[in-house]
Amino acid sequence: MVLTLAGSAATTLAAPPGFLSFDTALALALHENPALVASAAKIDAARQAAIPAGALPDPKLALGIDNVPTDGTDRFSLTRDFMTMRRISVMQEVPNRDKRHAREAVAQGRIEVAEAEARIVRLTVQRETAVAWISRYTLEQQLLRIDALFAENRLLDAAVRARFAAGQGRADETVAPRQEAALLEERRDELIARREQAVALLKRWIGAAAEAPLAGAPPDWSIARDTLMQHLAHHPALTAFDPLGRVLDAEADEAQAAKQSDWSVALSYQQRGPQFSNMAGIEFSFDLPVFTGTRQDPRIAAKRAERAALDAEREAMLREHAAQLAGDLAEYERLSRAVSRQRTVLLPLADEKAALTLAAWRGGKGSLSDLITARRERIDAELKATALEGERRQMAARLHFAYDEPLLSEESK
């Protein structure tokens, strides 16, 4: 998986230098984010730990001296007494086959757990990077509109002064455009601060590249409600319970296998005095699990209880994600309607009102205060339309990156 991510990043990073597109931001996040590096290291650690999982324990070497006399003329003699022997032995412990197979299953399950956690981290990085990029993009679009409004404000100020110079206006009216400019400055300062916050958040996921100027626009994903609902059980946070369950099942099997006897074999070589023959021996030993009621059985029961707890946790998370998905879909639909209403109804009405009040003011039939109010309403409508579109795209990103992309792509075919 790491090689795939690196190759994907290398392809996308071929974008024009000095700019940060949406795809480039995602590629950087997948290529350099420390959370993904940590996930890859955990997978590697689990794979390395699985290599010796089913192997026999290391053999043991024992050195000793047997039958040393402690009194008499041969006291503490190591050579003369025929009973004294120097001993070297090698022992191999052999856990029963079921126990070794269970340990292999536990190790394999932990690899799958690490891979499932890596998928969750990957989607989280993609989702949060997308949300942060869209947030910055939205704020910069609002700042561009504020700059355009400053140009309109300067034209209004010039028109008010010219009207006053021609004796067609009041002196206090010349203050209104400057008041509007001050309010625009306040709005711009607020947007600049929020933009800096968005850059800081984006920097968490892609590093210093977050400060580069943006290029392009975010994608407009198609959110299929039925597809998301059908694949709710395949949410990565839920599928991660499957390998966890397999680990607990294998650990329960290992505890069950402890009821069977393990055994060991030892080969020994014993050296006696030069006048006596050396000796060899073989020894077999077996575990006697005779107290299963207080040793093995409680461990088995503990693993089964953990398995039952895991199943209950999965059901609780399934309900949580079902509620969250329903809420997110409802919010996405609300935002879609709000964007449409803002773009097709409220913003055109605000433009029309501003145009009508401007025409009335120029014809001497309307007041400048009414014009300033109408212009402020239009400013609010324009900025709100951009903000709503940003919120809709952010919600779409959260829904889109809730699942592995191949899963949803396959369903859409």
Side-chain angles (χ1 to χ4, degrees):
M1 184 181 73
V2 177
L3 293 178
T4 302
L5 294 180
S8 174
T11 302
T12 312
L13 290 176
F19 290 90
L20 182 66
S21 68
F22 181 85
D23 290 338
T24 301
L26 285 187
L28 283 170
L30 294 177
H31 186 58
E32 299 179 357
N33 192 272
L36 289 171
V37 176
S39 295
K42 289 179 180 179
I43 293 174
D44 186 56
R47 287 174 177 168
Q48 293 298 322
I51 295 174
L56 295 176
D58 290 333
K60 296 180 180 179
L61 175 66
L63 303 174
I65 300 175
D66 297 329
N67 303 323
V68 178
T70 59
D71 53 21
T73 59
D74 293 332
R75 184 175 55 179
F76 302 123
S77 172
L78 302 180
T79 59
R80 290 178 294 174
D81 192 280
F82 78 96
M83 292 292 292
T84 302
M85 296 177 287
R86 299 178 183 88
R87 175 174 48 81
I88 181 171
S89 64
V90 178
M91 183 181 70
Q92 176 64 62
E93 295 179 349
V94 183
N96 67 73
R97 183 179 301 175
D98 290 345
K99 184 180 292 186
R100 297 200 305 273
H101 288 173
R103 289 172 179 173
E104 291 174 348
V106 169
Q108 181 60 39
R110 285 176 179 160
I111 294 174
E112 295 173 1
V113 169
E115 290 174 342
E117 291 175 348
R119 286 194 294 272
I120 295 173
V121 172
R122 179 177 180 272
L123 287 171
T124 299
V125 168
Q126 287 181 299
R127 182 184 67 245
E128 296 305 320
T129 302
V131 169
W133 195 95
I134 293 170
S135 176
R136 178 184 166 185
Y137 173 84
T138 302
L139 291 166
E140 291 186 357
Q141 291 298 307
Q142 290 178 308
L143 283 168
L144 288 175
R145 189 60 194 129
I146 287 289
D147 291 340
L149 292 172
F150 268 111
E152 294 181 13
N153 175 264
R154 287 191 291 271
L155 293 175
L156 177 64
D157 184 54
V160 171
R161 290 178 182 276
R163 185 182 178 89
F164 178 71
Q168 297 179 357
R170 303 191 311 269
D172 61 335
E173 290 183 340
T174 59
V175 178
R178 284 176 285 168
Q179 289 177 323
E180 183 184 75
L183 291 174
L184 288 173
E185 285 281 2
E186 184 178 352
R187 298 290 288 272
R188 182 163 63 180
D189 289 343
E190 178 187 352
L191 292 173
I192 289 174
R194 291 172 57 193
R195 177 191 175 278
E196 292 303 315
Q197 294 170 358
V199 170
L201 181 59
L202 187 57
K203 192 178 292 185
R204 173 187 175 186
W205 304 105
I206 64 174
E211 297 180 355
L214 299 186
D220 193 4
W221 294 287
S222 176
I223 302 302
R225 180 186 182 91
D226 292 341
T227 300
L228 290 173
M229 295 298 291
Q230 289 170 6
H231 286 90
L232 177 61
H234 299 287
H235 191 286
L238 294 170
T239 57
F241 280 89
D242 296 334
L244 283 172
R246 287 192 286 272
V247 168
L248 289 177
D249 290 341
E251 288 177 344
D253 291 341
E254 183 180 357
Q256 182 69 39
K259 287 187 172 185
Q260 302 176 32
S261 180
D262 296 336
W263 61 281
S264 62
V265 58
L267 300 175
S268 62
Y269 180 80
Q270 298 164 325
Q271 184 185 48
R272 300 196 294 177
Q275 69 274 33
F276 301 107
S277 298
N278 294 332
M279 304 178 70
I282 184 170
E283 177 184 2
F284 293 92
S285 61
F286 300 87
D287 292 339
L288 298 177
V290 295
F291 300 104
T292 58
T294 56
R295 295 180 183 176
Q296 288 81 10
D297 287 345
R299 294 174 185 170
I300 296 170
K303 291 302 175 183
R304 289 175 178 171
E306 288 182 34
R307 186 65 164 91
L310 185 70
D311 292 340
E313 289 174 4
R314 186 188 187 284
E315 180 62 26
M317 182 169 286
L318 175 61
R319 296 183 183 185
E320 178 184 349
H321 279 280
Q324 182 177 350
L325 178 58
D328 288 347
L329 287 170
E331 180 65 8
Y332 177 77
E333 292 170 0
R334 182 194 72 81
L335 288 170
S336 298
R337 292 192 298 269
V339 168
S340 177
R341 182 167 53 249
Q342 195 73 18
R343 294 288 188 191
T344 60
V345 179
L346 296 176
L347 185 54
L349 288 176
D351 286 337
E352 183 180 355
K353 182 176 180 180
L356 291 173
T357 53
L358 176 60
W361 175 74
R362 284 175 174 171
K365 298 180 180 180
S367 66
L368 183 60
S369 61
D370 290 340
L371 175 59
I372 295 297
T373 299
R375 284 171 56 83
R376 186 178 298 119
E377 291 175 355
R378 192 191 68 175
I379 292 170
D380 291 340
E382 290 181 351
L383 295 180
K384 185 175 181 180
T386 304
L388 286 170
E389 181 61 32
E391 291 179 26
R392 187 190 69 82
R393 283 176 166 168
Q394 286 180 319
M395 182 56 68
R398 292 188 179 96
L399 291 168
H400 180 75
F401 290 112
Y403 301 88
D404 286 318
E405 292 184 52
L407 178 67
L408 297 182
S409 299
E410 186 66 26
E411 176 66 20
S412 62
K413 292 180 180 179

